[in-house]
Amino acid sequence: MDGFAAVDFGFAREVLQRGIAALYLVGFVSTLNQFRALLGEHGLLPAPELLAWAGNSARARRLLRPTLFLRIRYTDRRLVALCVAGIVLSAALVVGLPQLAPPWVPMACFLLLWLGYMSISSIGQTFYGFGWEMLLLEAGFLAAFLGSASEPPPTVVMVLFWWLVIRLEFGAGMIKIRGGSEWRDLTALMYHHETQPMPGPLSRQAHLLPRWFHRLEVVGNHVAQLAAPWLLLAPILGLWIPGPVPAIIGAAGAGVVIATQLWLVSTGNFAWLNWATIVLAFSAVGIPSGSPRHAVTAPPWIIGGQWLPWVVVTTGVGALYVWLSVPAVRNLFSRRQAMNASFNRWQLANAYGAFGTVTKERIEIVVEGTMLPDADPDPVGGQWREYGFKGKPGDLHRVPAQFAPYHLRLDWLMWFLPLGRLYEDWFAMLLVRLLEADPPTLRLLRHDPFDGARPAQVRAVAYRYRFTTRAEHRESGRVWVRDRRRVVARPMSLGEDQV
């Protein structure tokens, strides 16, 4: 640290700018592939209907977060154009082209990504209601003020990234401590690998590890979320304490966060949440630049190697964040801590957190169809055939695939259905679209048992899933064992209005 300039954090800036841009690229690609079927003009929850409601009154407009589509009429083609522009701009930042220009150029690029993706997430309704959506927005806003390769990163912006990691990790840790008893008695991860929303290829192996290892996992999680994030602030002491010790402490804290996130990456599919945390934690990894500190004879419009107007801008961003962070600080230490909450329309200085409680058993909603209009509704098999989803468990022999950081939004929401959210409008409309054999909807799935033909009826059945033991796997080759619980959506056909 050298006053206004974080001279030893050039590598950290490279990771932040390129990593955050890569995550925006994933976000725009995910949106391009899924938004129209989920939220488009003929989607499960059509965004034009939400925008029409918001346009009815000034109060309704204020309830909707900022979006370009309040000023420009939404169409699926315009959504595609926005996604393509976001992909191109993100790719340019990943390569590093805008960073070769003055700092105003990468600033403009990241702010365009921020506004573009906010325009999408603001009308994304429940399909964009995940904490990592607002995390991506906040990270993109802060990345806009990291500057360009011609000058050192601003100290104040690096500190704001450390503050973001603290809110993200410490907030998640406190949610757990205040949440279910399984986090306090160290049993949470005896269940989590099996019951998490979207398991990965190694989730079963992780679940079958010894109980003592799962207890160590929980202890490690608490250390990584409650203690390690605060170490990221240590480099600030380098302003007063000479030597490498403050930077080493900060890098050690970042290393703990990164290591635990890599374990989560290898054992689950949490969209870009874990990868975003890894990228953000690199903000505390300082590498001595070897360049001399700026001489006191520098022109008065150059401060710490930075142009004075840029110093004014970044300092203003820091002052803004001090004001915006007051509700976030209160929330961190509140007994009624909010999780994944924003305290302003622009989704800055947010509250984060995840998995305050861990479900003890895995209930899957299996969607089935039949070509027989008079099929018996109760038989376990026979004429009822299952639709296969890309990420959620279904086929008992199928090893869960690795999708993260790509986000399968439909699969994630299917996990929430048995947790008290079964009778949501989007799920009823999903069943209707399956009855219609709607091609965009079917492209969201891995397997259509009717090869594009319209089924006569569809229904939804609840099953309890669990991973096979090693002995069961050797005997049957199955990854999952399941038992049927009940029909949760009775057989329906086109023309019916009840699910």
Side-chain angles (χ1 to χ4, degrees):
M1 291 292 181
D2 185 20
F4 288 101
V7 293
D8 295 335
F9 290 86
F11 171 74
R13 174 174 61 189
E14 289 290 324
V15 175
L16 287 169
Q17 289 179 323
R18 295 172 190 258
I20 292 170
L23 295 174
Y24 267 94
L25 193 153
V26 173
F28 280 112
V29 169
S30 167
T31 297
L32 179 63
N33 292 338
Q34 301 175 59
F35 191 97
R36 286 166 289 174
L38 298 175
L39 296 146
E41 295 171 274
H42 304 288
L44 306 184
L45 293 177
E49 294 182 7
L50 173 68
L51 290 164
W53 168 82
N56 287 333
S57 69
R59 181 176 179 274
R61 289 174 68 93
R62 287 193 298 269
L63 291 175
L64 194 65
R65 298 191 187 280
T67 174
L68 293 172
F69 294 114
L70 279 174
R71 298 182 178 275
I72 303 172
R73 185 175 66 87
Y74 174 91
T75 67
D76 286 348
R77 287 188 176 183
R78 287 172 179 164
L79 184 278
V80 169
L82 178 58
C83 289
V84 171
I87 290 169
V88 172
L89 195 54
S90 300
L93 286 161
V94 171
V95 175
L97 295 180
Q99 294 92 308
L100 299 176
W104 313 104
V105 176
M107 181 189 75
C109 291
F110 273 110
L111 289 180
L112 285 173
L113 290 180
W114 174 61
L115 289 170
Y117 198 78
M118 186 186 300
S119 294
I120 294 168
S121 65
S122 295
I123 60 174
Q125 303 170 75
T126 189
F127 290 105
Y128 281 74
F130 301 91
W132 48 77
E133 307 286 1
M134 66 173 66
L135 176 62
L136 183 60
L137 289 172
E138 184 170 1
F141 177 83
L142 291 178
F145 304 98
L146 283 169
S148 59
S150 61
E151 56 190 17
T155 296
V156 64
V157 179
M158 300 307 297
V159 173
L160 290 178
F161 272 106
W162 303 340
W163 171 228
L164 173 54
V165 175
I166 289 171
R167 283 182 284 117
L168 176 61
E169 286 293 277
F170 185 74
M174 291 304 296
I175 282 285
K176 293 176 175 64
I177 292 297
R178 294 181 175 123
S181 61
E182 62 271 14
W183 289 108
R184 296 186 293 275
D185 63 22
L186 308 183
T187 62
L189 292 176
M190 297 177 187
Y191 309 99
H192 168 76
H193 295 298
E194 181 177 75
T195 64
Q196 63 182 302
M198 197 181 303
L202 299 180
S203 297
R204 177 176 167 273
Q205 285 80 355
H207 176 69
L208 295 176
L209 290 170
R211 295 173 68 88
W212 62 263
F213 184 87
H214 292 313
R215 293 184 185 275
L216 285 180
E217 279 187 289
V218 179
V219 172
N221 180 87
H222 290 331
V223 170
Q225 293 192 322
L226 297 175
W230 296 100
L231 299 180
L232 272 64
L233 296 174
I236 297 175
L237 300 176
L239 294 171
W240 303 280
I241 301 175
V245 173
I248 291 173
I249 294 174
V256 172
V257 172
I258 291 169
T260 55
Q261 293 299 315
L262 286 173
W263 174 246
L264 293 174
V265 166
S266 66
T267 58
N269 277 295
F270 296 97
W272 53 77
L273 174 62
N274 305 126
W275 285 111
T277 307
I278 290 169
V279 169
L280 295 172
F282 265 100
S283 63
V285 178
I287 299 176
S289 61
S291 60
R293 300 302 196 237
H294 295 279
V296 295
T297 56
W301 58 85
I302 301 295
I303 300 179
Q306 300 179 11
W307 195 34
L308 178 59
W310 186 246
V311 173
V312 172
V313 169
T314 55
T315 303
V317 171
L320 173 67
Y321 251 79
V322 170
W323 177 60
L324 292 177
S325 294
V326 172
V329 173
R330 289 174 179 166
N331 182 70
L332 278 178
F333 299 99
S334 171
R335 292 183 179 179
R336 298 182 178 179
Q337 179 187 359
M339 182 175 71
N340 297 326
S342 181
F343 306 103
N344 56 78
R345 285 173 52 79
W346 301 98
Q347 300 184 73
L348 303 176
N350 306 309
Y352 300 99
F355 293 101
T357 59
V358 174
T359 53
K360 304 300 190 299
E361 65 175 7
R362 180 178 204 95
I363 303 297
E364 286 289 342
I365 304 301
V366 175
V367 180
E368 302 173 334
T370 178
M371 299 299 287
L372 303 178
D374 56 349
D376 189 336
D378 281 336
V380 174
Q383 63 269 58
W384 292 97
R385 299 159 68 184
E386 297 181 15
Y387 288 89
F389 287 75
K390 294 179 179 179
K392 73 183 289 293
D395 182 355
L396 302 182
H397 291 86
R398 183 169 178 254
V399 176
Q402 185 69 43
F403 287 97
Y406 191 81
H407 186 12
L408 294 174
R409 301 176 188 280
L410 178 61
D411 295 62
W412 262 83
L413 284 192
M414 289 293 294
W415 181 80
F416 285 102
L417 289 178
L419 303 181
R421 299 172 62 175
L422 182 61
Y423 302 106
E424 294 203 355
D425 291 344
W426 69 264
F427 183 59
M429 187 54 64
L430 172 65
L431 299 180
V432 172
R433 292 288 185 261
L434 295 179
L435 284 167
E436 296 171 342
D438 178 57
T441 302
L442 293 176
R443 283 194 291 270
L444 296 174
L445 306 180
R446 182 180 65 89
H447 171 62
D448 170 18
F450 307 107
D451 296 323
R454 289 187 176 187
Q457 298 183 86
V458 295
R459 69 177 183 181
V461 183
Y463 287 84
R464 186 226 176 203
Y465 274 65
R466 67 168 177 83
F467 281 130
T468 54
T469 64
R470 292 184 177 89
E472 289 171 331
H473 182 67
R474 284 194 299 268
E475 180 181 348
S476 66
R478 292 179 177 178
V479 176
W480 299 97
V481 173
R482 73 180 186 183
D483 59 89
R484 188 173 186 265
R485 294 300 174 91
R486 63 188 181 94
V487 174
V488 295
R490 66 172 182 79
M492 62 175 293
S493 57
L494 285 178
E496 296 188 21
D497 59 0
Q498 182 179 359
V499 179

